[in-house]
Amino acid sequence: ESISGNLDARPRGVETVLLVDDEVALLELAAESLQMLGYRVITAANGELALSRLAEESAIDLLFSDVVMPGGINGFELAEQAVVLLPGLKVLVTSGYTEKAVIRNGQARFNANMLSKPYTQVELAYRMREALDDK
């Protein structure tokens, strides 16, 4: 049976998500989707901003970041630094083109939680819960 038309069937959450994407339109769209699912959303347009948000706000449950971003820090590097700042942090990364992101030692673990762009709100809802519930 199709759940695409039924918003109530989608897994929801109340956790705080730090959303990172350098494309403002995508950032706003994803933020809106997550808020509709019940999440509290903090946004950042690049890795540096994301790290300062993480330093300010210790109640972030999950980092949802684009992998390929201009300006030094890519999503994998951000994830690596983020879990040092907040050891219990869950990570979900997204990318439209994975082959452009170089995965260095120790970053492969984040690749397991990769959501390919473009994704649907249903996929986002499920992947979000999967990442958050991952013990």
Side-chain angles (χ1 to χ4, degrees), residues 35-51:
Q35 284 160 347
M36 281 170 65
L37 293 164
Y39 296 99
R40 178 172 166 253
V41 181
I42 298 168
T43 58
N46 60 49
E48 280 81 8
L49 268 174
L51 287 172

PDB file of all heavy atoms in Angstrom, residues 35-51:
ATOM      1  N   GLN A  35      10.451  20.099   9.817  1.00  0.00           N
ATOM      2  CA  GLN A  35       9.551  20.750  10.770  1.00  0.00           C
ATOM      3  C   GLN A  35       8.149  20.159  10.678  1.00  0.00           C
ATOM      4  O   GLN A  35       7.479  19.963  11.687  1.00  0.00           O
ATOM      5  CB  GLN A  35       9.544  22.265  10.547  1.00  0.00           C
ATOM      6  CG  GLN A  35      10.802  22.910  11.092  1.00  0.00           C
ATOM      7  CD  GLN A  35      11.083  24.293  10.499  1.00  0.00           C
ATOM      8  OE1 GLN A  35      10.482  24.700   9.509  1.00  0.00           O
ATOM      9  NE2 GLN A  35      12.003  25.011  11.116  1.00  0.00           N
ATOM     10  N   MET A  36       7.727  19.830   9.456  1.00  0.00           N
ATOM     11  CA  MET A  36       6.419  19.200   9.281  1.00  0.00           C
ATOM     12  C   MET A  36       6.364  17.841   9.966  1.00  0.00           C
ATOM     13  O   MET A  36       5.305  17.383  10.382  1.00  0.00           O
ATOM     14  CB  MET A  36       6.097  19.030   7.790  1.00  0.00           C
ATOM     15  CG  MET A  36       5.599  20.304   7.126  1.00  0.00           C
ATOM     16  SD  MET A  36       5.508  20.131   5.314  1.00  0.00           S
ATOM     17  CE  MET A  36       4.230  18.888   5.149  1.00  0.00           C
ATOM     18  N   LEU A  37       7.518  17.195  10.074  1.00  0.00           N
ATOM     19  CA  LEU A  37       7.594  15.883  10.730  1.00  0.00           C
ATOM     20  C   LEU A  37       7.778  16.022  12.248  1.00  0.00           C
ATOM     21  O   LEU A  37       7.876  15.031  12.954  1.00  0.00           O
ATOM     22  CB  LEU A  37       8.744  15.066  10.140  1.00  0.00           C
ATOM     23  CG  LEU A  37       8.558  14.632   8.678  1.00  0.00           C
ATOM     24  CD1 LEU A  37       9.882  14.179   8.075  1.00  0.00           C
ATOM     25  CD2 LEU A  37       7.511  13.537   8.569  1.00  0.00           C
ATOM     26  N   GLY A  38       7.855  17.253  12.732  1.00  0.00           N
ATOM     27  CA  GLY A  38       7.916  17.486  14.167  1.00  0.00           C
ATOM     28  C   GLY A  38       9.274  17.838  14.742  1.00  0.00           C
ATOM     29  O   GLY A  38       9.404  18.137  15.923  1.00  0.00           O
ATOM     30  N   TYR A  39      10.323  17.807  13.905  1.00  0.00           N
ATOM     31  CA  TYR A  39      11.668  18.074  14.409  1.00  0.00           C
ATOM     32  C   TYR A  39      11.904  19.563  14.652  1.00  0.00           C
ATOM     33  O   TYR A  39      11.304  20.410  14.006  1.00  0.00           O
ATOM     34  CB  TYR A  39      12.731  17.563  13.417  1.00  0.00           C
ATOM     35  CG  TYR A  39      12.700  16.069  13.234  1.00  0.00           C
ATOM     36  CD1 TYR A  39      12.053  15.493  12.140  1.00  0.00           C
ATOM     37  CD2 TYR A  39      13.294  15.230  14.169  1.00  0.00           C
ATOM     38  CE1 TYR A  39      12.006  14.116  11.983  1.00  0.00           C
ATOM     39  CE2 TYR A  39      13.255  13.853  14.013  1.00  0.00           C
ATOM     40  CZ  TYR A  39      12.606  13.303  12.925  1.00  0.00           C
ATOM     41  OH  TYR A  39      12.556  11.942  12.777  1.00  0.00           O
ATOM     42  N   ARG A  40      12.816  19.831  15.580  1.00  0.00           N
ATOM     43  CA  ARG A  40      13.296  21.192  15.779  1.00  0.00           C
ATOM     44  C   ARG A  40      14.521  21.317  14.875  1.00  0.00           C
ATOM     45  O   ARG A  40      15.410  20.458  14.917  1.00  0.00           O
ATOM     46  CB  ARG A  40      13.688  21.372  17.248  1.00  0.00           C
ATOM     47  CG  ARG A  40      14.247  22.740  17.558  1.00  0.00           C
ATOM     48  CD  ARG A  40      14.418  22.913  19.076  1.00  0.00           C
ATOM     49  NE  ARG A  40      15.252  24.073  19.298  1.00  0.00           N
ATOM     50  CZ  ARG A  40      16.517  24.016  19.712  1.00  0.00           C
ATOM     51  NH1 ARG A  40      17.079  22.859  19.980  1.00  0.00           N
ATOM     52  NH2 ARG A  40      17.216  25.116  19.862  1.00  0.00           N
ATOM     53  N   VAL A  41      14.566  22.355  14.057  1.00  0.00           N
ATOM     54  CA  VAL A  41      15.620  22.458  13.057  1.00  0.00           C
ATOM     55  C   VAL A  41      16.482  23.703  13.249  1.00  0.00           C
ATOM     56  O   VAL A  41      15.974  24.800  13.425  1.00  0.00           O
ATOM     57  CB  VAL A  41      15.013  22.480  11.626  1.00  0.00           C
ATOM     58  CG1 VAL A  41      16.114  22.562  10.574  1.00  0.00           C
ATOM     59  CG2 VAL A  41      14.150  21.250  11.386  1.00  0.00           C
ATOM     60  N   ILE A  42      17.784  23.496  13.227  1.00  0.00           N
ATOM     61  CA  ILE A  42      18.754  24.587  13.241  1.00  0.00           C
ATOM     62  C   ILE A  42      19.471  24.482  11.902  1.00  0.00           C
ATOM     63  O   ILE A  42      19.857  23.381  11.490  1.00  0.00           O
ATOM     64  CB  ILE A  42      19.768  24.409  14.397  1.00  0.00           C
ATOM     65  CG1 ILE A  42      19.031  24.452  15.749  1.00  0.00           C
ATOM     66  CG2 ILE A  42      20.858  25.474  14.334  1.00  0.00           C
ATOM     67  CD1 ILE A  42      19.899  24.005  16.916  1.00  0.00           C
ATOM     68  N   THR A  43      19.635  25.587  11.194  1.00  0.00           N
ATOM     69  CA  THR A  43      20.276  25.512   9.872  1.00  0.00           C
ATOM     70  C   THR A  43      21.631  26.215   9.854  1.00  0.00           C
ATOM     71  O   THR A  43      21.889  27.126  10.638  1.00  0.00           O
ATOM     72  CB  THR A  43      19.382  26.145   8.779  1.00  0.00           C
ATOM     73  OG1 THR A  43      19.109  27.506   9.123  1.00  0.00           O
ATOM     74  CG2 THR A  43      18.069  25.386   8.633  1.00  0.00           C
ATOM     75  N   ALA A  44      22.461  25.757   8.930  1.00  0.00           N
ATOM     76  CA  ALA A  44      23.755  26.384   8.683  1.00  0.00           C
ATOM     77  C   ALA A  44      24.068  26.220   7.207  1.00  0.00           C
ATOM     78  O   ALA A  44      23.805  25.172   6.626  1.00  0.00           O
ATOM     79  CB  ALA A  44      24.840  25.725   9.533  1.00  0.00           C
ATOM     80  N   ALA A  45      24.618  27.279   6.594  1.00  0.00           N
ATOM     81  CA  ALA A  45      24.877  27.254   5.154  1.00  0.00           C
ATOM     82  C   ALA A  45      26.262  26.730   4.789  1.00  0.00           C
ATOM     83  O   ALA A  45      26.585  26.578   3.619  1.00  0.00           O
ATOM     84  CB  ALA A  45      24.671  28.654   4.568  1.00  0.00           C
ATOM     85  N   ASN A  46      27.096  26.457   5.796  1.00  0.00           N
ATOM     86  CA  ASN A  46      28.406  25.860   5.510  1.00  0.00           C
ATOM     87  C   ASN A  46      28.962  25.177   6.756  1.00  0.00           C
ATOM     88  O   ASN A  46      28.389  25.292   7.845  1.00  0.00           O
ATOM     89  CB  ASN A  46      29.396  26.918   4.972  1.00  0.00           C
ATOM     90  CG  ASN A  46      29.621  28.041   5.977  1.00  0.00           C
ATOM     91  OD1 ASN A  46      29.892  27.808   7.155  1.00  0.00           O
ATOM     92  ND2 ASN A  46      29.491  29.272   5.506  1.00  0.00           N
ATOM     93  N   GLY A  47      30.067  24.488   6.564  1.00  0.00           N
ATOM     94  CA  GLY A  47      30.663  23.708   7.645  1.00  0.00           C
ATOM     95  C   GLY A  47      31.122  24.534   8.833  1.00  0.00           C
ATOM     96  O   GLY A  47      30.932  24.145   9.985  1.00  0.00           O
ATOM     97  N   GLU A  48      31.719  25.703   8.565  1.00  0.00           N
ATOM     98  CA  GLU A  48      32.209  26.554   9.658  1.00  0.00           C
ATOM     99  C   GLU A  48      31.054  27.008  10.541  1.00  0.00           C
ATOM    100  O   GLU A  48      31.125  26.971  11.765  1.00  0.00           O
ATOM    101  CB  GLU A  48      32.944  27.785   9.115  1.00  0.00           C
ATOM    102  CG  GLU A  48      34.378  27.530   8.683  1.00  0.00           C
ATOM    103  CD  GLU A  48      34.468  26.908   7.292  1.00  0.00           C
ATOM    104  OE1 GLU A  48      33.429  26.807   6.596  1.00  0.00           O
ATOM    105  OE2 GLU A  48      35.582  26.508   6.916  1.00  0.00           O
ATOM    106  N   LEU A  49      29.970  27.456   9.882  1.00  0.00           N
ATOM    107  CA  LEU A  49      28.780  27.885  10.629  1.00  0.00           C
ATOM    108  C   LEU A  49      28.207  26.724  11.431  1.00  0.00           C
ATOM    109  O   LEU A  49      27.778  26.897  12.573  1.00  0.00           O
ATOM    110  CB  LEU A  49      27.704  28.392   9.667  1.00  0.00           C
ATOM    111  CG  LEU A  49      27.690  29.881   9.349  1.00  0.00           C
ATOM    112  CD1 LEU A  49      26.653  30.177   8.268  1.00  0.00           C
ATOM    113  CD2 LEU A  49      27.387  30.697  10.602  1.00  0.00           C
ATOM    114  N   ALA A  50      28.193  25.557  10.820  1.00  0.00           N
ATOM    115  CA  ALA A  50      27.656  24.372  11.489  1.00  0.00           C
ATOM    116  C   ALA A  50      28.444  24.074  12.761  1.00  0.00           C
ATOM    117  O   ALA A  50      27.861  23.765  13.803  1.00  0.00           O
ATOM    118  CB  ALA A  50      27.699  23.173  10.549  1.00  0.00           C
ATOM    119  N   LEU A  51      29.772  24.194  12.692  1.00  0.00           N
ATOM    120  CA  LEU A  51      30.601  23.918  13.866  1.00  0.00           C
ATOM    121  C   LEU A  51      30.338  24.934  14.976  1.00  0.00           C
ATOM    122  O   LEU A  51      30.305  24.570  16.155  1.00  0.00           O
ATOM    123  CB  LEU A  51      32.094  23.905  13.491  1.00  0.00           C
ATOM    124  CG  LEU A  51      32.541  22.686  12.699  1.00  0.00           C
ATOM    125  CD1 LEU A  51      33.976  22.859  12.203  1.00  0.00           C
ATOM    126  CD2 LEU A  51      32.414  21.404  13.519  1.00  0.00           C
TER     127      LEU A  51
END
